[in-house]
C-alpha cells in the first residue's frame, strides 16, 4: 500500500493584500463534506481493523461534494491526505494502488483515490473540537458534525442520507427503503428522541398492529454497523423505547 508522506510544497510569498478569509476557512467552506467523508472512511477502517487504503475514496466522489483541485493540493501539501492511482482489476478480492508519487504528486487522474493520514485525522479532530469558527463553517455547510460523545449524545436520524447516528458514529444505514423502520426513526427525530414514543405506524387491516410493531423493532436492531443502541417495546404493544447499550 502507498505510504502516507506529506508532499514537499514550498509556500509562495504573499502578494498584494492578504486574503480576506483564512485558508483553513476556505477549505472547510468548500471541502468540509469531503473531509467528513474521508474522516468516516478513516473511522470505518479502524473499526474493522483494515488498512485505510481499503476505504480510499475516489476523486469523482469527493469532487461531487464541491472540493476542487486547489483544496486537494492544499490538503496534500499540509500532509493531511495522501493519494494514489487505483489499479484494481475486475475480479480481484483486494484493492491495489500504484506507489506513492514523489514527483508530480500534485496531479490527479481519473482513478486517483484519497485517504486521510494520521496528521489529517488529528487535524479534523482538532478543528471540530478546538475551533468554534471552523466548526460553525462545517455546521453551516454539512450539517452539525461537531465531535459528540456517544455516551451522552442522543441519536440522530438523517432522512436524506438514510443514516442513524449516535454522535459521529453511524449506527445503521439503509440501502433500500424500509418504510416502517423509517417511520419510527422519523417519529423519534421529530420528538427529539424521548425515551418512549407511541406506535407511529399507520393502521393496517392486513396485519396485527402489535405483531407488526414487534417485527419492526426487531428489524431496527438487526444489521447495525455498531451496536451502541437498541430498540424495545414498551410492554403494551403500543409504544417503542430506545436505550444505549453499555
Amino acid at each position: 500500500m502507498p505510504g502516507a508522506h506529506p508532499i514537499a510544497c514550498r509556500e509562495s510569498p504573499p502578494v498584494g493584500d492578504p486574503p480576506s478569509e483564512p485558508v483553513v476557512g476556505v477549505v472547510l467552506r468548500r471541502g468540509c463534506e469531503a473531509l467528513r467523508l474521508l474522516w468516516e472512511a478513516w473511522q470505518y477502517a479502524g473499526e474493522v481493523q483494515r488498512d485505510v487504503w481499503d476505504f480510499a475514496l475516489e476523486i469523482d466522489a469527493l469532487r461531487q461534494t464541491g472540493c476542487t483541485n486547489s483544496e486537494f493540493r492544499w490538503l496534500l501539501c499540509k500532509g493531511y491526505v495522501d493519494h494514489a492511482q487505483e489499479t484494481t482489476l475486475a475480479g480481484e478480492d483486494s484493492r491495489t494502488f500504484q506507489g506513492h508519487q514523489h514527483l508530480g504528486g500534485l496531479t490527479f487522474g481519473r482513478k486517483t483515490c484519497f485517504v486521510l493520514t494520521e496528521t489529517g485525522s488529528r487535524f479534523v479532530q482538532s478543528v471540530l473540537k478546538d475551533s468554534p469558527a471552523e466548526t460553525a463553517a462545517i455546521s453551516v455547510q454539512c450539517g452539525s458534525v461537531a465531535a459528540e460523545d456517544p455516551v451522552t449524545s442522543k441519536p440522530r436520524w438523517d432522512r436524506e442520507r438514510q443514516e442513524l447516528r449516535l454522535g459521529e458514529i453511524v449506527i445503521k444505514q439503509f440501502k433500500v427503503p424500509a418504510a416502517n423502520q423509517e417511520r419510527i426513526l422519523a417519529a423519534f427525530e421529530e420528538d427529539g428522541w424521548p425515551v418512549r414514543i407511541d406506535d407511529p405506524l399507520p393502521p393496517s387491516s392486513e396485519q396485527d398492529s402489535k405483531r407488526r410493531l414487534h417485527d419492526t423493532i426487531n428489524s431496527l436492531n438487526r444489521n447495525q454497523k455498531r451496536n451502541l443502541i437498541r430498540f424495545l417495546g414498551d410492554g403494551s404493544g403500543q409504544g417503542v423505547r430506545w436505550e444505549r447499550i453499555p
Side-chain angles (χ1 to χ4, degrees), residues 2-146:
H5 304 293
I7 295 174
C9 296
R10 183 179 62 189
E11 295 185 0
S12 300
V15 177
D17 295 332
S20 58
E21 184 176 6
V23 172
V24 171
V26 173
V27 172
L28 293 177
R29 178 167 55 81
R30 294 179 181 170
C32 64
E33 176 69 1
L35 283 174
R36 187 186 72 81
L37 292 175
L38 288 164
W39 170 242
E40 284 184 351
W42 170 274
Q43 289 182 303
Y44 290 153
E47 200 275 329
V48 296
Q49 297 182 340
R50 300 282 300 197
D51 191 293
V52 68
W53 284 97
D54 288 336
F55 288 79
L57 293 176
E58 295 81 358
I59 191 169
D60 284 348
L62 296 175
R63 279 176 173 158
Q64 289 175 14
T65 69
C67 203
T68 69
N69 285 353
S70 293
E71 279 79 63
F72 292 140
R73 291 174 179 131
W74 184 86
L75 291 167
L76 283 162
C77 287
K78 298 294 287 186
Y80 297 151
V81 299
D82 198 7
H83 75 112
Q85 298 290 317
E86 184 161 14
T87 56
T88 309
L89 299 176
E92 289 186 336
D93 294 332
S94 300
R95 300 179 72 182
T96 57
F97 298 86
Q98 283 184 355
H100 181 78
Q101 300 178 14
H102 293 286
L103 296 175
L106 295 180
T107 59
F108 314 119
R110 183 172 55 87
K111 294 187 177 181
T112 295
C113 295
F114 289 84
V115 297
L116 209 61
T117 63
E118 290 275 2
T119 302
S121 173
R122 291 194 295 271
F123 166 69
V124 173
Q125 293 180 74
S126 66
V127 164
L128 294 178
K129 292 180 180 178
D130 301 331
S131 180
E134 274 66 38
T135 300
I138 286 183
S139 297
V140 169
Q141 295 297 321
C142 300
S144 179
V145 297

Side-chain angles (χ1 to χ4, degrees), residues 181-192:
Q181 295 181 62
E182 292 175 35
R183 285 193 182 99
I184 289 177
L185 295 175
F188 270 115
E189 185 69 22
E190 183 177 351
D191 291 349

Side-chain angles (χ1 to χ4, degrees), residues 170-237:
V170 176
I171 300 296
K172 187 167 185 174
Q173 184 176 45
F174 294 87
K175 301 296 186 181
V176 297
N180 288 340
Q181 295 181 62
E182 292 175 35
R183 285 193 182 99
I184 289 177
L185 295 175
F188 270 115
E189 185 69 22
E190 183 177 351
D191 291 349
W193 288 92
V195 173
R196 178 198 176 278
I197 60 171
D198 290 333
D199 179 3
L201 304 182
S204 173
S205 60
E206 299 178 356
Q207 189 176 9
D208 177 75
S209 60
K210 292 184 178 181
R211 168 55 59 182
R212 181 180 56 171
L213 181 61
H214 177 269
D215 292 344
T216 303
I217 290 172
N218 286 341
S219 296
L220 281 167
N221 291 325
R222 285 198 293 265
N223 300 320
Q224 293 189 6
K225 294 177 180 290
R226 298 283 298 275
N227 293 318
L228 297 179
I229 66 174
R230 62 176 160 241
F231 296 90
L232 311 95
D234 68 347
S236 70

